[in-house]
Amino acid sequence: MPDLVLTADLVLVDGAFRPASVVISDGRIERIGTVEEAPADAVRLAPDEVLLPGLVDTHVHVNEPGRTEWEGFATATAAAAAGGVTTLIDMPLNSIPPTIDVPALEVKRDAARGAVLVDVGFWGGAVPDSLGRLRPLWDEGVFGFKCFLAPSGVDEFPHLDRARLAAAQDELAAFDGLLIVHAEDPDVLDRAANGGGREYPAFVASRPEEAESTAVDAVIDGLRRTGGRAHVLHVSAAAAVARIRAAKAEGLRITAETCPHYLVFDEAHIPDGATQYKCCPPIRDAANQDLLWAGLLDGTIDLVVSDHSPSTAERKFAGDGDFQVAWGGIAGLQFGLPAVWTEARRRGVPLETVVDRFCRSTADFAGLSTKGRIAAGADADLVVFAPAAPHRVAVEELRYRNPVSAYVGHDLVGEVRRTYLAGLPIDSAEPPRGRLLTRP
Protein backbone atom coordinates (compact mmCIF):
# COMPACT_ATOMS: atom_id res chain seq x y z
CA MET A 1 0.00 0.00 0.00
CA PRO A 2 1.25 3.52 -0.75
CA ASP A 3 2.12 5.83 2.13
CA LEU A 4 0.10 8.69 0.66
CA VAL A 5 -1.92 9.56 -2.42
CA LEU A 6 -2.52 13.19 -3.37
CA THR A 7 -5.07 14.07 -6.02
CA ALA A 8 -6.01 17.35 -7.69
CA ASP A 9 -7.59 18.75 -10.80
CA LEU A 10 -4.36 20.61 -11.58
CA VAL A 11 -1.07 18.78 -11.08
CA LEU A 12 2.07 20.01 -12.86
CA VAL A 13 3.37 16.99 -14.81
CA ASP A 14 5.80 17.21 -17.75
CA GLY A 15 5.45 20.98 -17.91
CA ALA A 16 1.64 21.10 -18.10
CA PHE A 17 -1.25 21.05 -15.66
CA ARG A 18 -3.69 18.13 -15.75
CA PRO A 19 -5.91 16.15 -13.38
CA ALA A 20 -3.89 13.44 -11.67
CA SER A 21 -3.26 11.41 -8.58
CA VAL A 22 0.28 11.18 -7.18
CA VAL A 23 1.09 7.89 -5.47
CA ILE A 24 3.89 8.11 -2.89
CA SER A 25 5.84 5.27 -1.27
CA ASP A 26 9.03 5.40 0.80
CA GLY A 27 9.51 9.11 0.20
CA ARG A 28 9.38 8.86 -3.59
CA ILE A 29 6.71 9.19 -6.24
CA GLU A 30 5.76 5.65 -7.20
CA ARG A 31 3.57 6.64 -10.14
CA ILE A 32 1.24 9.24 -11.60
CA GLY A 33 -2.33 7.99 -12.01
CA THR A 34 -5.70 9.39 -12.92
CA VAL A 35 -8.03 11.08 -10.47
CA GLU A 36 -10.50 8.22 -10.89
CA GLU A 37 -7.87 5.71 -9.73
CA ALA A 38 -7.30 7.49 -6.43
CA PRO A 39 -8.34 5.49 -3.34
CA ALA A 40 -11.03 6.71 -0.99
CA ASP A 41 -8.47 7.84 1.59
CA ALA A 42 -6.51 9.97 -0.89
CA VAL A 43 -5.83 13.56 0.13
CA ARG A 44 -7.71 15.73 -2.33
CA LEU A 45 -6.62 19.31 -2.86
CA ALA A 46 -9.17 22.10 -2.57
CA PRO A 47 -10.69 23.43 -5.82
CA ASP A 48 -8.52 26.57 -5.69
CA GLU A 49 -5.25 24.64 -5.14
CA VAL A 50 -2.69 23.17 -7.53
CA LEU A 51 0.05 20.64 -6.86
CA LEU A 52 3.59 21.70 -7.74
CA PRO A 53 7.04 20.16 -7.33
CA GLY A 54 9.08 21.44 -4.40
CA LEU A 55 11.20 24.46 -5.28
CA VAL A 56 14.99 24.14 -5.48
CA ASP A 57 16.82 27.31 -4.41
CA THR A 58 20.50 27.15 -5.30
CA HIS A 59 21.42 30.58 -3.87
CA VAL A 60 20.88 30.95 -0.12
CA HIS A 61 23.10 32.56 2.53
CA VAL A 62 22.36 30.71 5.77
CA ASN A 63 25.27 32.43 7.62
CA GLU A 64 25.76 29.67 10.21
CA PRO A 65 28.15 29.20 11.97
CA GLY A 66 29.80 32.49 12.82
CA ARG A 67 26.97 34.86 11.95
CA THR A 68 24.03 32.81 13.18
CA GLU A 69 22.53 35.99 14.63
CA TRP A 70 21.91 36.98 10.98
CA GLU A 71 20.02 33.76 10.13
CA GLY A 72 20.86 30.06 10.79
CA PHE A 73 19.84 26.64 9.49
CA ALA A 74 16.75 26.30 11.69
CA THR A 75 15.19 29.62 10.70
CA ALA A 76 16.35 29.57 7.07
CA THR A 77 14.87 26.13 6.42
CA ALA A 78 11.65 27.08 8.23
CA ALA A 79 11.32 30.06 5.89
CA ALA A 80 12.17 27.85 2.93
CA ALA A 81 9.44 25.35 3.81
CA ALA A 82 6.91 28.17 4.27
CA GLY A 83 7.79 29.36 0.77
CA GLY A 84 7.57 25.94 -0.88
CA VAL A 85 11.34 25.44 -1.09
CA THR A 86 12.23 21.81 -0.33
CA THR A 87 15.91 21.92 -1.34
CA LEU A 88 18.42 24.71 -0.91
CA ILE A 89 22.14 25.04 -1.52
CA ASP A 90 24.03 27.17 0.97
CA MET A 91 26.60 29.75 -0.11
CA PRO A 92 30.17 29.56 1.27
CA LEU A 93 29.85 32.99 2.91
CA ASN A 94 28.82 34.80 5.18
CA SER A 95 29.54 32.04 7.66
CA ILE A 96 32.73 31.93 9.69
CA PRO A 97 34.73 30.04 8.65
CA PRO A 98 33.78 30.39 4.99
CA THR A 99 33.51 27.09 3.13
CA ILE A 100 36.87 27.30 1.36
CA ASP A 101 38.40 23.97 2.43
CA VAL A 102 37.35 20.53 3.65
CA PRO A 103 37.65 21.28 7.41
CA ALA A 104 35.40 24.33 6.97
CA LEU A 105 32.87 22.21 5.07
CA GLU A 106 32.79 19.77 7.97
CA VAL A 107 32.18 22.64 10.40
CA LYS A 108 29.28 23.75 8.21
CA ARG A 109 27.83 20.25 7.99
CA ASP A 110 28.10 19.82 11.75
CA ALA A 111 26.15 23.04 12.26
CA ALA A 112 23.42 21.90 9.86
CA ARG A 113 23.14 18.27 10.90
CA GLY A 114 19.82 17.59 12.65
CA ALA A 115 18.69 21.21 12.28
CA VAL A 116 17.29 21.41 8.73
CA LEU A 117 13.62 21.12 7.80
CA VAL A 118 14.44 20.78 4.08
CA ASP A 119 17.26 19.13 2.13
CA VAL A 120 20.46 21.19 2.09
CA GLY A 121 23.60 21.10 -0.05
CA PHE A 122 26.70 23.29 -0.04
CA TRP A 123 28.78 25.42 -2.39
CA GLY A 124 32.52 25.78 -1.93
CA GLY A 125 34.44 29.01 -2.22
CA ALA A 126 37.18 30.16 -4.59
CA VAL A 127 39.25 32.85 -2.90
CA PRO A 128 42.91 33.74 -3.44
CA ASP A 129 44.15 31.43 -0.66
CA SER A 130 42.09 28.42 -1.82
CA LEU A 131 43.29 28.40 -5.43
CA GLY A 132 45.30 25.31 -6.23
CA ARG A 133 43.38 23.40 -3.52
CA LEU A 134 39.85 23.24 -4.95
CA ARG A 135 39.75 19.57 -5.97
CA PRO A 136 39.50 18.16 -2.40
CA LEU A 137 36.32 20.17 -1.77
CA TRP A 138 34.90 18.95 -5.09
CA ASP A 139 35.66 15.38 -4.10
CA GLU A 140 33.83 15.99 -0.81
CA GLY A 141 30.64 16.79 -2.74
CA VAL A 142 30.27 20.57 -2.97
CA PHE A 143 28.18 21.61 -5.96
CA GLY A 144 30.72 24.09 -7.29
CA PHE A 145 32.78 27.11 -6.29
CA LYS A 146 31.66 30.68 -5.75
CA CYS A 147 33.91 33.64 -6.39
CA PHE A 148 33.53 37.40 -6.30
CA LEU A 149 35.16 39.65 -8.88
CA ALA A 150 34.71 42.70 -6.60
CA PRO A 151 34.86 42.97 -2.78
CA SER A 152 32.33 40.63 -1.19
CA GLY A 153 31.42 42.76 1.81
CA VAL A 154 33.11 40.44 4.32
CA ASP A 155 36.86 40.42 4.87
CA GLU A 156 37.22 36.65 5.21
CA PHE A 157 36.01 36.05 1.64
CA PRO A 158 38.24 38.20 -0.63
CA HIS A 159 37.60 38.60 -4.34
CA LEU A 160 39.59 37.31 -7.29
CA ASP A 161 41.43 39.75 -9.52
CA ARG A 162 41.67 39.03 -13.24
CA ALA A 163 44.79 36.87 -12.96
CA ARG A 164 43.27 34.78 -10.16
CA LEU A 165 39.98 34.45 -12.05
CA ALA A 166 41.97 32.98 -14.94
CA ALA A 167 43.80 30.65 -12.53
CA ALA A 168 40.51 29.48 -11.02
CA GLN A 169 39.04 28.78 -14.45
CA ASP A 170 42.15 26.83 -15.44
CA GLU A 171 42.03 24.78 -12.25
CA LEU A 172 38.33 23.95 -12.48
CA ALA A 173 38.45 23.12 -16.19
CA ALA A 174 40.96 20.37 -15.39
CA PHE A 175 38.26 18.38 -13.52
CA ASP A 176 35.16 20.03 -15.08
CA GLY A 177 34.24 21.84 -11.87
CA LEU A 178 31.68 24.64 -11.91
CA LEU A 179 32.56 28.26 -11.14
CA ILE A 180 29.67 30.48 -10.00
CA VAL A 181 30.47 34.16 -10.22
CA HIS A 182 29.37 37.37 -8.55
CA ALA A 183 30.10 39.43 -11.64
CA GLU A 184 30.85 43.08 -10.93
CA ASP A 185 34.06 44.78 -12.05
CA PRO A 186 35.90 46.61 -9.24
CA ASP A 187 37.51 49.19 -11.53
CA VAL A 188 34.12 50.22 -12.90
CA LEU A 189 32.74 50.39 -9.36
CA ASP A 190 35.65 52.59 -8.27
CA ARG A 191 35.03 55.00 -11.15
CA ALA A 192 31.29 55.15 -10.38
CA ALA A 193 31.67 55.64 -6.61
CA ASN A 194 29.78 58.58 -5.15
CA GLY A 195 29.02 60.04 -1.76
CA GLY A 196 26.11 57.73 -1.04
CA GLY A 197 23.19 58.96 0.99
CA ARG A 198 19.49 58.21 1.22
CA GLU A 199 18.65 58.72 -2.48
CA TYR A 200 18.15 55.37 -4.17
CA PRO A 201 19.07 56.57 -7.70
CA ALA A 202 22.49 57.59 -6.36
CA PHE A 203 23.06 54.05 -5.12
CA VAL A 204 22.08 52.60 -8.51
CA ALA A 205 24.46 55.02 -10.21
CA SER A 206 27.28 53.76 -7.99
CA ARG A 207 26.86 50.21 -9.39
CA PRO A 208 26.18 50.72 -13.12
CA GLU A 209 25.31 48.09 -15.71
CA GLU A 210 28.83 48.39 -17.09
CA ALA A 211 30.20 46.82 -13.91
CA GLU A 212 28.22 43.64 -14.62
CA SER A 213 28.79 43.48 -18.36
CA THR A 214 32.55 44.05 -18.04
CA ALA A 215 32.86 41.30 -15.44
CA VAL A 216 30.75 38.91 -17.52
CA ASP A 217 33.05 39.60 -20.49
CA ALA A 218 36.02 38.44 -18.40
CA VAL A 219 34.24 35.21 -17.44
CA ILE A 220 33.33 34.55 -21.08
CA ASP A 221 36.92 35.13 -22.19
CA GLY A 222 38.01 32.46 -19.72
CA LEU A 223 35.42 30.01 -21.02
CA ARG A 224 36.65 30.48 -24.57
CA ARG A 225 40.18 29.78 -23.43
CA THR A 226 39.53 26.78 -21.16
CA GLY A 227 36.32 25.17 -22.44
CA GLY A 228 35.15 25.09 -18.82
CA ARG A 229 31.85 25.87 -17.13
CA ALA A 230 30.61 29.03 -15.43
CA HIS A 231 27.37 30.35 -13.98
CA VAL A 232 26.59 34.06 -13.58
CA LEU A 233 24.85 34.85 -10.32
CA HIS A 234 21.97 37.31 -9.71
CA VAL A 235 21.92 39.00 -13.11
CA SER A 236 20.35 42.45 -12.76
CA ALA A 237 21.57 44.22 -15.91
CA ALA A 238 20.16 43.87 -19.41
CA ALA A 239 23.64 44.51 -20.83
CA ALA A 240 24.88 41.37 -19.09
CA VAL A 241 21.92 39.39 -20.48
CA ALA A 242 22.97 40.35 -24.01
CA ARG A 243 26.52 39.11 -23.35
CA ILE A 244 25.27 35.81 -21.95
CA ARG A 245 22.87 35.30 -24.88
CA ALA A 246 25.73 35.75 -27.36
CA ALA A 247 28.00 33.41 -25.39
CA LYS A 248 25.35 30.69 -25.41
CA ALA A 249 24.88 31.12 -29.16
CA GLU A 250 28.63 30.67 -29.49
CA GLY A 251 28.33 27.29 -27.74
CA LEU A 252 30.09 28.28 -24.52
CA ARG A 253 29.13 26.44 -21.34
CA ILE A 254 27.55 29.31 -19.46
CA THR A 255 24.34 29.56 -17.44
CA ALA A 256 22.75 32.44 -15.56
CA GLU A 257 20.20 33.24 -12.89
CA THR A 258 18.17 36.19 -11.76
CA CYS A 259 16.20 36.81 -8.58
CA PRO A 260 12.61 37.64 -7.67
CA HIS A 261 13.50 41.14 -6.47
CA TYR A 262 14.86 42.07 -9.90
CA LEU A 263 11.72 40.74 -11.62
CA VAL A 264 9.22 42.32 -9.22
CA PHE A 265 10.60 45.65 -7.94
CA ASP A 266 11.94 48.58 -9.97
CA GLU A 267 13.94 51.68 -9.19
CA ALA A 268 11.08 54.17 -9.48
CA HIS A 269 9.10 52.50 -6.70
CA ILE A 270 11.89 52.24 -4.11
CA PRO A 271 11.61 55.12 -1.61
CA ASP A 272 14.67 57.05 -0.56
CA GLY A 273 16.09 55.62 2.66
CA ALA A 274 14.33 52.24 2.20
CA THR A 275 17.44 50.12 2.65
CA GLN A 276 15.41 46.90 2.95
CA TYR A 277 15.61 47.00 -0.88
CA LYS A 278 19.40 47.28 -1.03
CA CYS A 279 21.22 44.49 -2.84
CA CYS A 280 24.32 44.21 -4.98
CA PRO A 281 24.02 44.43 -7.92
CA PRO A 282 21.07 46.78 -7.46
CA ILE A 283 17.45 46.71 -8.53
CA ARG A 284 17.32 48.80 -11.72
CA ASP A 285 14.64 50.60 -13.74
CA ALA A 286 11.48 49.20 -15.34
CA ALA A 287 12.90 49.14 -18.89
CA ASN A 288 15.79 47.01 -17.66
CA GLN A 289 13.33 44.76 -15.84
CA ASP A 290 11.41 44.18 -19.07
CA LEU A 291 14.63 42.94 -20.69
CA LEU A 292 15.30 40.61 -17.76
CA TRP A 293 11.86 39.08 -18.29
CA ALA A 294 12.60 38.71 -21.99
CA GLY A 295 15.87 36.94 -21.15
CA LEU A 296 14.07 34.65 -18.74
CA LEU A 297 11.41 33.72 -21.26
CA ASP A 298 13.80 33.10 -24.15
CA GLY A 299 16.04 30.86 -22.02
CA THR A 300 19.06 33.15 -21.75
CA ILE A 301 18.44 33.31 -18.00
CA ASP A 302 18.10 29.73 -16.81
CA LEU A 303 17.00 30.03 -13.18
CA VAL A 304 15.13 32.11 -10.62
CA VAL A 305 16.63 31.86 -7.12
CA SER A 306 16.30 33.97 -4.01
CA ASP A 307 19.85 35.14 -3.20
CA HIS A 308 18.48 35.20 0.34
CA SER A 309 21.04 37.34 2.17
CA PRO A 310 19.69 38.55 5.50
CA SER A 311 21.38 40.32 8.37
CA THR A 312 20.38 41.77 11.69
CA ALA A 313 17.96 44.68 11.57
CA GLU A 314 20.69 46.92 12.96
CA ARG A 315 22.95 46.20 10.00
CA LYS A 316 20.15 46.34 7.44
CA PHE A 317 19.09 49.79 8.60
CA ALA A 318 22.53 51.08 9.56
CA GLY A 319 23.25 54.65 8.50
CA ASP A 320 19.68 55.83 8.96
CA GLY A 321 18.74 55.08 5.36
CA ASP A 322 22.15 55.64 3.78
CA PHE A 323 22.36 53.05 0.99
CA GLN A 324 26.16 53.03 1.06
CA VAL A 325 26.23 52.10 4.76
CA ALA A 326 23.40 49.53 5.11
CA TRP A 327 23.96 45.81 4.57
CA GLY A 328 23.39 44.82 0.94
CA GLY A 329 21.14 41.78 0.83
CA ILE A 330 17.43 40.97 0.54
CA ALA A 331 15.64 38.42 2.68
CA GLY A 332 13.47 36.74 0.05
CA LEU A 333 13.50 33.00 0.65
CA GLN A 334 9.92 32.81 1.89
CA PHE A 335 8.04 34.71 -0.84
CA GLY A 336 9.88 34.20 -4.13
CA LEU A 337 7.24 32.08 -5.84
CA PRO A 338 4.16 34.23 -5.09
CA ALA A 339 6.11 37.43 -5.79
CA VAL A 340 7.25 36.33 -9.24
CA TRP A 341 3.89 34.75 -10.00
CA THR A 342 2.15 38.04 -9.15
CA GLU A 343 4.26 39.89 -11.73
CA ALA A 344 4.14 37.04 -14.25
CA ARG A 345 0.34 36.97 -14.13
CA ARG A 346 0.28 40.70 -14.84
CA ARG A 347 2.50 40.08 -17.87
CA GLY A 348 0.48 37.12 -19.15
CA VAL A 349 3.17 34.55 -18.34
CA PRO A 350 1.64 31.17 -17.35
CA LEU A 351 2.24 29.61 -13.95
CA GLU A 352 3.88 26.52 -15.43
CA THR A 353 6.60 28.70 -16.99
CA VAL A 354 7.28 30.39 -13.65
CA VAL A 355 7.41 27.11 -11.76
CA ASP A 356 9.79 25.57 -14.28
CA ARG A 357 12.42 28.24 -13.54
CA PHE A 358 12.10 27.66 -9.79
CA CYS A 359 11.99 23.85 -9.89
CA ARG A 360 13.12 21.72 -12.83
CA SER A 361 15.64 24.23 -14.15
CA THR A 362 17.29 24.77 -10.77
CA ALA A 363 17.32 21.04 -10.00
CA ASP A 364 18.89 20.22 -13.36
CA PHE A 365 21.46 22.97 -12.92
CA ALA A 366 22.52 21.39 -9.62
CA GLY A 367 22.46 17.86 -11.08
CA LEU A 368 19.60 16.82 -8.78
CA SER A 369 17.66 14.67 -11.22
CA THR A 370 15.12 13.46 -8.64
CA LYS A 371 14.22 16.99 -7.53
CA GLY A 372 12.08 19.72 -9.07
CA ARG A 373 9.56 17.54 -10.91
CA ILE A 374 6.46 15.43 -10.35
CA ALA A 375 7.38 12.17 -12.03
CA ALA A 376 7.70 8.48 -11.23
CA GLY A 377 10.92 7.92 -9.32
CA ALA A 378 11.32 11.54 -8.21
CA ASP A 379 11.53 12.59 -4.59
CA ALA A 380 8.07 13.25 -3.18
CA ASP A 381 8.87 16.90 -2.49
CA LEU A 382 5.64 18.73 -3.26
CA VAL A 383 3.89 22.05 -2.76
CA VAL A 384 0.19 22.82 -2.43
CA PHE A 385 -0.23 26.28 -3.94
CA ALA A 386 -3.32 28.48 -4.28
CA PRO A 387 -2.49 30.64 -7.33
CA ALA A 388 -5.42 33.03 -7.03
CA ALA A 389 -5.30 33.64 -3.27
CA PRO A 390 -4.55 37.28 -2.39
CA HIS A 391 -1.97 37.87 0.29
CA ARG A 392 -0.46 40.95 1.92
CA VAL A 393 2.92 40.11 3.44
CA ALA A 394 3.04 40.90 7.17
CA VAL A 395 6.04 41.07 9.49
CA GLU A 396 4.39 38.61 11.86
CA GLU A 397 4.52 35.74 9.37
CA LEU A 398 8.22 35.99 8.55
CA ARG A 399 10.12 32.87 9.59
CA TYR A 400 13.55 34.50 9.34
CA ARG A 401 15.63 35.05 12.46
CA ASN A 402 15.34 38.79 11.82
CA PRO A 403 11.88 39.89 10.65
CA VAL A 404 13.06 42.25 7.89
CA SER A 405 12.16 41.88 4.22
CA ALA A 406 11.56 44.03 1.16
CA TYR A 407 8.32 42.10 0.61
CA VAL A 408 6.61 43.27 3.83
CA GLY A 409 3.51 45.32 3.04
CA HIS A 410 3.31 44.21 -0.59
CA ASP A 411 0.15 42.64 -2.00
CA LEU A 412 0.87 39.33 -3.70
CA VAL A 413 -1.27 36.78 -5.48
CA GLY A 414 -0.60 33.14 -4.66
CA GLU A 415 -0.18 31.34 -1.37
CA VAL A 416 1.82 28.28 -0.35
CA ARG A 417 -0.50 26.24 1.85
CA ARG A 418 1.44 23.02 2.47
CA THR A 419 4.89 21.73 1.71
CA TYR A 420 5.83 18.04 1.63
CA LEU A 421 9.35 16.65 2.00
CA ALA A 422 9.79 13.00 1.00
CA GLY A 423 6.03 12.49 1.14
CA LEU A 424 5.39 13.97 4.58
CA PRO A 425 4.12 17.47 5.37
CA ILE A 426 6.79 19.69 6.89
CA ASP A 427 5.87 20.64 10.43
CA SER A 428 8.27 22.96 12.26
CA ALA A 429 6.99 21.57 15.56
CA GLU A 430 8.34 18.10 14.70
CA PRO A 431 11.99 16.98 14.59
CA PRO A 432 13.70 18.16 11.37
CA ARG A 433 13.85 15.56 8.58
CA GLY A 434 15.97 17.39 6.04
CA ARG A 435 19.02 15.61 4.58
CA LEU A 436 22.48 16.99 3.90
CA LEU A 437 23.16 16.55 0.19
CA THR A 438 26.32 16.03 -1.77
CA ARG A 439 26.77 16.61 -5.49
CA PRO A 440 25.50 13.55 -7.37
Side-chain angles (χ1 to χ4, degrees):
M1 296 293 292
D3 299 325
L4 175 69
V5 178
L6 295 169
T7 183
D9 292 331
L10 294 173
V11 179
L12 187 61
V13 180
D14 295 331
F17 283 105
R18 63 178 173 87
S21 59
V22 179
V23 181
I24 298 167
S25 296
D26 296 326
R28 293 203 173 230
I29 297 172
E30 179 181 306
R31 61 186 177 88
I32 310 296
T34 65
V35 171
E36 292 74 22
E37 294 171 338
D41 61 352
V43 176
R44 181 166 182 81
L45 273 60
D48 67 333
E49 295 174 341
V50 302
L51 189 64
L52 308 177
L55 279 61
V56 178
D57 192 335
T58 57
H59 194 153
V60 178
H61 294 268
V62 176
N63 305 330
E64 185 178 7
R67 291 190 174 95
T68 310
E69 72 274 13
W70 293 17
E71 189 61 281
F73 285 104
T75 50
T77 58
V85 175
T86 52
T87 302
L88 65 84
I89 305 182
D90 174 53
M91 284 290 165
L93 74 163
N94 302 306
S95 56
I96 302 173
T99 315
I100 57 174
D101 54 33
V102 172
L105 176 63
E106 288 308 314
V107 170
K108 181 73 71 80
R109 285 173 171 164
D110 287 344
R113 194 168 285 114
V116 295
L117 291 167
V118 303
D119 290 349
V120 174
F122 303 95
W123 295 106
V127 300
D129 286 346
S130 68
L131 297 185
R133 302 184 286 113
L134 300 178
R135 183 61 186 261
L137 262 179
W138 182 254
D139 291 342
E140 280 295 315
V142 298
F143 284 76
F145 300 88
K146 180 175 187 176
C147 73
F148 279 73
L149 302 187
S152 71
V154 293
D155 292 340
E156 68 275 1
F157 202 93
H159 70 284
L160 302 182
D161 60 20
R162 286 291 181 269
R164 290 185 173 109
L165 169 64
Q169 290 186 285
D170 287 342
E171 183 178 354
L172 293 179
F175 56 87
D176 204 32
L178 174 64
L179 187 67
I180 64 173
V181 185
H182 180 121
E184 289 184 287
D185 183 272
D187 294 335
V188 175
L189 295 179
D190 286 345
R191 291 196 299 270
N194 57 41
R198 293 174 54 86
E199 295 183 359
Y200 185 71
F203 173 63
V204 176
S206 75
R207 303 189 90 97
E209 282 196 68
E210 183 190 357
E212 281 188 73
S213 59
T214 301
V216 168
D217 284 343
V219 174
I220 291 170
D221 287 344
L223 295 181
R224 287 195 187 104
R225 182 174 53 80
T226 65
R229 298 190 291 151
H231 176 75
V232 183
L233 300 164
H234 45 50
V235 175
S236 81
V241 175
R243 266 40 170 223
I244 294 162
R245 183 180 290 115
K248 287 188 169 190
E250 190 179 329
L252 299 179
R253 302 166 72 196
I254 189 168
T255 53
E257 67 185 41
T258 194
C259 305
H261 41 272
Y262 300 127
L263 298 171
V264 172
F265 302 129
D266 68 81
E267 178 180 344
H269 292 90
I270 296 178
D272 290 344
T275 52
Q276 65 268 34
Y277 294 95
K278 179 185 175 181
C279 56
C280 299
I283 296 165
R284 305 188 189 276
D285 63 25
N288 183 87
Q289 184 185 82
D290 289 342
L291 293 172
L292 289 181
W293 273 98
L296 185 67
L297 296 177
D298 72 15
T300 302
I301 297 173
D302 302 87
L303 322 173
V304 179
V305 292
S306 68
D307 188 12
H308 178 68
S309 187
S311 70
T312 61
E314 290 77 13
R315 289 189 64 89
K316 192 60 187 161
F317 297 115
D320 190 27
D322 188 330
F323 280 93
Q324 293 293 352
V325 177
W327 174 254
I330 288 179
L333 183 57
Q334 191 171 337
F335 293 103
L337 174 61
V340 174
W341 167 232
T342 300
E343 179 64 14
R345 196 170 86 148
R346 188 183 72 82
R347 292 172 179 265
V349 178
L351 179 59
E352 51 266 41
T353 299
V354 172
V355 173
D356 178 81
R357 303 303 193 272
F358 278 101
C359 297
R360 183 198 57 79
S361 294
T362 46
D364 289 353
F365 164 67
L368 297 171
S369 60
T370 63
K371 302 285 189 184
R373 67 208 75 214
I374 298 177
D379 293 354
D381 300 343
L382 302 164
V383 176
V384 177
F385 185 65
H391 185 86
R392 174 167 287 185
V393 179
V395 169
E396 295 76 19
E397 66 186 301
L398 299 181
R399 303 291 184 91
Y400 315 133
R401 185 174 298 275
N402 295 279
V404 177
S405 175
Y407 294 97
V408 170
H410 286 274
D411 290 312
L412 305 180
V413 178
E415 182 178 67
V416 173
R417 291 187 174 164
R418 283 193 310 285
T419 305
Y420 292 83
L421 181 72
L424 295 173
I426 298 175
D427 184 346
S428 59
E430 295 181 355
R433 296 184 293 105
R435 300 174 297 162
L436 303 187
L437 305 177
T438 57
R439 187 189 73 261

